Amino acid sequence: MVHATTTAGHLAAWQSRAGTLPPVLADALAVCAQNGVNEHECGDVLDLLAMLGCDAHTQASALWFEIGRTHPLVWEQRAASLPEELQRLVAGQMAAERVWALHAQRPPEGGSEGLRRLLLAIIRDVRVVFILLSRQLARMRAAVNLPEDERQELGRLTRDIHAPLANRLGIWQLKWELEDIAFRYLQPDTYRRIAKLLDERRSDREHFIRESLFELGEALRTAGVKADLAGRPKHIYSIWKKMQRKALEFSDLYDIRAVRILVDSVADCYAALGIVHALWPHLPGEFDDYVARPKSNGYRSLHTAVIGPQGKTLEVQIRTHDMHRANELGVAAHWRYKEGGSGDADFEAKIAWMRKLLEPRNDDGELAAELQTELLEDRVYVLTPKGEVVDMPHGATVLDFAYHVHTEVGHRCRGAKVNGRIVPLTHQPHSGDRVEILTTKIAEPRRDWLSPHHGYLHTSRARDKVRAWFRRSAHDANLAAGRALLERELKRLALPDVDIAKLPALFHLQTLDELLVGLALGEISPGQVARVLQESQQPSEPIPNVPAPVARPTVFDHSAITIEGVGNLLTVLAKCCQPLPGDPVRGFITRTKGVSVHRANCASLARLARRDPDRVIEVSWGQADAQAYEVTIQLNGYDRKGLQKDVVGVISNANINIIASNSRLFPRTGEVEMRYTLRVRDFEQLSTLLDRLVALPNVVEARRVGAG
């Protein structure tokens, strides 16, 4: 880390010491000397970064950013040869420029919290925040010579973005000055009025402080407590804020007069507090223990108010020297960055800690607890075409964005652009992306938006809005859509003979209409239907004579079958119909292999039953959750490059094994038929897989091969 005792705001003093500085900083100073930059601003920024304890890479990146801004060709020529860490720090500063531009474009009543969040989302290295705060303070100090409109805009940016960030980081040395200068530019009359009131009473106040420090010093020495005492400066903006918050006049503020006690240990803090309260009566309700209960940004100190000499109120702050250093520099006081340390897990944890720290919270205690855990960024901050920031959960799509903007925008959405490029509605934007929704005049959501496997909607809020739209539509249309979904699910699972009249009870519903409407609105998924069918384990009663399905042998654990009224018998799944858990099944007692288990609608079983009806017995699925069963599925669609690869990828991602596969292409029509024999766990896994497969481009149908 580089410290300097330079003339504030002048780069020449730094350049004169280049031979004693780390090479990365000396190199940046040399390039600045060769190319004109704002020397006063750059020197001021370096001074502030040194005060914050930032390392040479951080300081050098502040100079390189200025070079890139004023001499882009020089930056382009040198950037590739610079250390990757330094390039990343400069890139973070350049990304922040987008936030400043958005702030300038926002409407007067627009909020700033979204912009602060966007800033943190696009900056990947926490040190960039220190550079931004230091540069802004340097610019504010020099803005007195700017035109009025530029000074006002700079003041608003500071008030809305930089001062709140410095506050949340606890960097008081920057916070107070940023707030005071911004207040001076934005409300000059009020600023001058309070400054005049302070000046008018300055001599009396200074005499009172000297008297108070003398009495307090004597009391501390008598008690044997070693301490450093000083008057505490009051800042004009904080005085005005307290007057506004408590509706007080200037003369009613008790903490215009304040002193600070610095001691060596925490024990001395409480000893000094006792001495203060013994020396002067304290004001009830005006004591805060931020040592035992630190603020969420790490601030620690004892605050009390007393009736001091001459019967005047006096604020007293008590802290250790370490606490004072940490309080003045905030987060920066705790961190020391190593060269090339960006990959350090501890460093990354501190970045996450700072980001959580900067998020607004009402409950400081809750926040403090959260800071002890590992924190990850789980939000994205995207922009509307007007530059307003929209905060969405990670994984949200552009369709989620449309519903976030307005329900009608979502209903009428038919496309989207991200940064001017057309994207599908399933596209997930990143922080900083500008999203534009393309709409039609007619509100007409699609039912497949509700399917989680299609990936259109990530947030429950958006799905609820789509369901509400369909719920308001014609009841008959919902019934028809639900019936179509149910029939499609039964067909693709090869379950044509399920008694759907029994399904509502399995879902704890009163009528079939409720089930169908639930399916239509996405409140019940086809996968849930598959799971309930499996759990019901009810054998079918009639044995229709239908063609046998194509099947392959299966891996089977005999404990998966329960035989009614009989003890343990050898069982085997029939190869002719390949039953799966949840299929209605019956058993046939063979002469040599025990009980052969068939699907209840198996044609082979029907022939055996006609020949030997007494050997047909009732069986049901037992508890075999961990079994694997073979099943054949068929996909129909239109051929394209990479189709087979995409299908295999979906199956693999579902953790399903492929046992065999074959496909046929019909060149004249371009149609393709693919069959896969898979090892699946149960109906629910199969149903979910079929959903994902049919969502692939060019796949028209995906179903289980079975009866019918």
Side-chain angles (χ1 to χ4, degrees):
M1 115 193 30
V2 182
H3 294 277
T5 55
T6 64
T7 302
H10 204 281
L11 195 61
W14 282 87
Q15 291 167 334
S16 68
R17 300 177 55 249
T20 65
L21 300 175
V24 67
L25 179 55
D27 180 37
L29 287 166
V31 176
C32 288
Q34 297 164 8
N35 302 273
V37 295
N38 186 326
E39 292 197 4
H40 287 279
E41 180 180 307
C42 289
D44 206 1
V45 170
L46 289 183
D47 291 342
L48 289 167
L49 291 174
M51 179 270 293
L52 292 174
C54 293
D55 62 6
H57 278 81
T58 305
Q59 292 174 305
S61 71
L63 298 178
W64 278 112
F65 170 80
E66 184 64 18
I67 293 167
R69 189 178 67 85
T70 56
H71 303 282
L73 291 179
V74 176
W75 168 251
E76 290 175 10
Q77 292 167 2
R78 291 293 309 274
S81 64
L82 296 175
E84 182 180 346
E85 178 184 3
L86 202 152
Q87 294 182 48
R88 184 175 65 251
L89 290 168
V90 175
Q93 297 172 70
M94 292 179 173
E97 293 293 302
R98 298 164 56 191
V99 177
W100 314 152
L102 289 169
H103 181 271
Q105 298 167 7
R106 86 198 201 294
E109 68 280 359
S112 299
E113 182 61 39
L115 289 176
R116 290 195 289 271
R117 292 188 176 198
L118 173 61
L119 175 65
L120 297 172
I122 63 180
I123 291 175
R124 309 315 302 174
D125 194 316
V126 65
R127 291 171 289 181
V128 174
V129 178
F130 300 144
I131 301 171
L132 299 178
L133 294 176
S134 299
R135 180 178 293 115
Q136 190 71 5
L137 180 52
R139 288 177 175 173
M140 290 289 285
R141 287 171 173 176
V144 67
N145 298 318
L146 290 179
E148 176 67 18
D149 57 338
E150 293 183 32
R151 196 163 61 243
Q152 288 271 324
E153 179 55 37
L154 196 61
R156 283 191 290 270
L157 180 62
T158 302
R159 178 197 62 195
D160 295 342
I161 305 295
H162 296 83
L165 291 185
N167 178 54
R168 290 186 180 277
L169 285 169
I171 307 177
W172 307 118
Q173 286 191 352
L174 301 189
K175 170 188 180 290
W176 296 125
E177 192 170 356
L178 285 168
E179 288 181 339
D180 273 6
I181 300 177
F183 185 50
R184 175 185 170 190
Y185 293 159
L186 295 174
Q187 300 188 51
D189 293 339
T190 306
Y191 179 91
R192 283 192 293 267
R193 180 171 63 86
I194 296 177
K196 184 178 179 181
L197 289 170
L198 285 171
D199 287 339
E200 287 175 350
R201 303 187 180 187
R202 184 181 303 277
S203 59
D204 290 341
R205 189 167 58 254
E206 290 176 350
H207 176 75
F208 173 82
I209 293 297
R210 285 194 299 270
E211 182 181 352
S212 301
L213 291 177
F214 177 79
E215 290 187 25
L216 186 55
E218 287 296 316
L220 290 168
R221 278 191 292 274
T222 301
V225 176
K226 182 182 176 182
D228 293 330
L229 306 178
R232 186 175 68 86
K234 288 300 295 182
H235 299 275
I236 292 177
Y237 180 75
S238 67
I239 292 173
W240 178 78
K241 288 285 289 183
K242 180 164 287 189
M243 291 169 63
Q244 297 297 307
R245 186 172 67 252
K246 296 191 174 183
L248 298 174
E249 292 298 324
F250 182 85
S251 58
D252 297 327
L253 296 177
Y254 65 82
D255 58 351
I256 297 300
R257 297 169 293 271
V259 297
R260 180 174 289 148
I261 303 174
L262 301 182
V263 294
D264 293 332
S265 67
V266 172
D268 287 344
C269 286
Y270 289 101
L273 177 66
I275 293 168
V276 170
H277 285 176
L279 181 62
W280 299 308
H282 78 279
L283 296 175
E286 295 295 341
F287 170 69
D288 293 297
D289 187 348
Y290 297 123
V291 173
R293 295 182 298 279
K295 290 185 177 182
S296 59
N297 56 16
Y299 178 90
R300 302 180 72 200
S301 184
L302 297 176
H303 291 191
T304 188
V306 298
I307 300 175
Q310 306 172 31
K312 295 179 179 179
T313 56
L314 174 69
E315 183 188 63
V316 182
Q317 293 184 353
I318 308 170
R319 61 184 65 157
T320 67
H321 293 279
D322 288 340
M323 290 178 194
H324 180 61
R325 182 167 53 254
N327 291 345
E328 291 300 293
L329 300 182
V331 171
H334 302 289
W335 299 350
R336 294 296 180 261
Y337 304 100
K338 295 178 293 185
E339 300 292 335
S342 60
D344 185 5
D346 191 43
F347 174 75
E348 295 298 327
K350 288 173 180 174
I351 292 178
W353 180 78
M354 189 210 72
R355 290 189 174 186
K356 198 66 176 180
L357 183 65
L358 295 176
E359 291 184 6
R361 286 289 192 276
N362 294 324
D363 186 348
D364 288 344
E366 178 185 351
L367 174 59
E370 290 179 1
L371 293 179
Q372 304 305 317
T373 62
E374 182 180 356
L375 302 167
L376 299 175
E377 183 65 59
D378 60 354
R379 311 294 293 179
V380 292
Y381 306 94
V382 297
L383 308 174
T384 69
K386 294 182 179 180
E388 298 169 348
V389 179
V390 173
D391 173 4
M392 300 193 302
H394 180 74
T397 66
V398 291
L399 188 56
D400 284 302
F401 173 86
Y403 276 103
H404 186 99
V405 171
H406 195 279
T407 302
E408 281 303 310
V409 173
H411 289 341
R412 291 163 36 211
C413 177
R414 285 300 174 269
K417 288 183 179 180
V418 173
N419 301 326
R421 181 175 59 88
I422 295 287
V423 296
L425 294 182
T426 54
H427 178 81
Q428 298 177 5
H430 300 93
S431 288
D433 285 346
R434 190 179 294 264
V435 181
E436 178 185 356
I437 300 300
L438 308 177
T439 60
T440 61
K441 293 182 179 180
I442 301 175
E444 194 173 4
R446 289 163 38 188
R447 291 188 186 273
D448 57 357
W449 290 357
L450 293 170
S451 170
H453 307 298
H454 286 82
Y456 285 107
L457 294 172
H458 175 76
T459 64
S460 57
R461 175 186 178 190
R463 283 194 295 270
D464 288 343
K465 290 181 177 181
V466 176
R467 290 191 185 105
W469 190 90
F470 282 110
R471 189 173 284 111
R472 289 194 302 269
S473 65
H475 183 67
D476 291 344
N478 285 328
L479 288 177
R483 189 176 297 278
L485 285 170
L486 178 59
E487 291 175 353
R488 186 201 67 171
E489 184 68 7
L490 296 177
K491 178 181 178 182
R492 70 178 186 170
L493 291 177
L495 299 172
D497 299 306
V498 170
D499 185 359
I500 63 174
K502 297 180 179 180
L503 283 176
L506 301 178
F507 283 90
H508 306 289
L509 299 174
Q510 298 296 320
T511 65
L512 180 60
D513 283 3
E514 291 180 81
L515 174 67
L516 298 179
V517 170
L519 276 168
L521 298 179
E523 295 168 347
I524 299 173
S525 69
Q528 288 175 297
V529 173
R531 186 178 71 249
V532 167
L533 286 173
Q534 177 180 339
E535 291 174 351
S536 66
Q537 302 175 354
Q538 294 184 6
S540 177
E541 296 183 3
I543 307 180
N545 186 5
V546 293
V550 178
R552 294 180 62 85
T554 185
V555 177
F556 176 61
D557 185 335
H558 306 295
S559 65
I561 288 290
T562 300
I563 302 174
E564 294 186 7
V566 184
N568 292 333
L569 290 178
L570 177 64
T571 57
V572 62
L573 295 183
K575 298 179 181 180
C576 55
C577 58
Q578 192 180 346
L580 272 178
D583 280 335
V585 288
R586 281 189 172 183
F588 185 82
I589 302 175
T590 67
R591 298 184 186 278
T592 58
K593 297 181 180 180
V595 176
S596 175
V597 179
H598 297 252
R599 293 175 64 191
N601 59 4
C602 175
S604 296
L605 177 62
R607 289 193 295 272
L608 293 171
R610 284 194 294 271
R611 190 178 62 201
D612 293 301
D614 294 339
R615 294 166 67 179
V616 177
I617 61 174
E618 298 297 332
V619 298
S620 61
W621 293 103
Q623 301 300 317
D625 296 336
Q627 305 307 314
Y629 304 91
E630 291 182 12
V631 61
T632 299
I633 64 171
Q634 177 173 312
L635 282 74
N636 297 316
Y638 295 93
D639 193 33
R640 63 171 172 82
K641 183 179 179 180
L643 179 59
Q644 292 270 11
K645 178 183 176 181
D646 290 347
V647 170
V648 171
V650 169
I651 296 173
S652 176
N653 289 336
N655 294 319
I656 295 175
N657 293 329
I658 300 175
I659 298 172
S661 66
N662 63 78
S663 62
R664 284 196 303 164
L665 175 65
F666 303 93
R668 188 174 64 84
T669 62
E671 293 177 276
V672 64
E673 178 184 285
M674 294 172 282
R675 285 198 176 195
Y676 295 87
T677 300
L678 312 173
R679 184 165 293 157
V680 299
R681 184 178 64 249
D682 51 30
F683 270 170
E684 185 174 17
Q685 188 181 37
L686 176 60
S687 175
T688 300
L689 174 67
L690 295 176
D691 266 334
R692 292 174 178 170
L693 290 173
V694 82
L696 289 173
N698 286 41
V699 174
V700 176
E701 180 188 35
R703 61 182 178 86
R704 174 189 177 194
V705 173

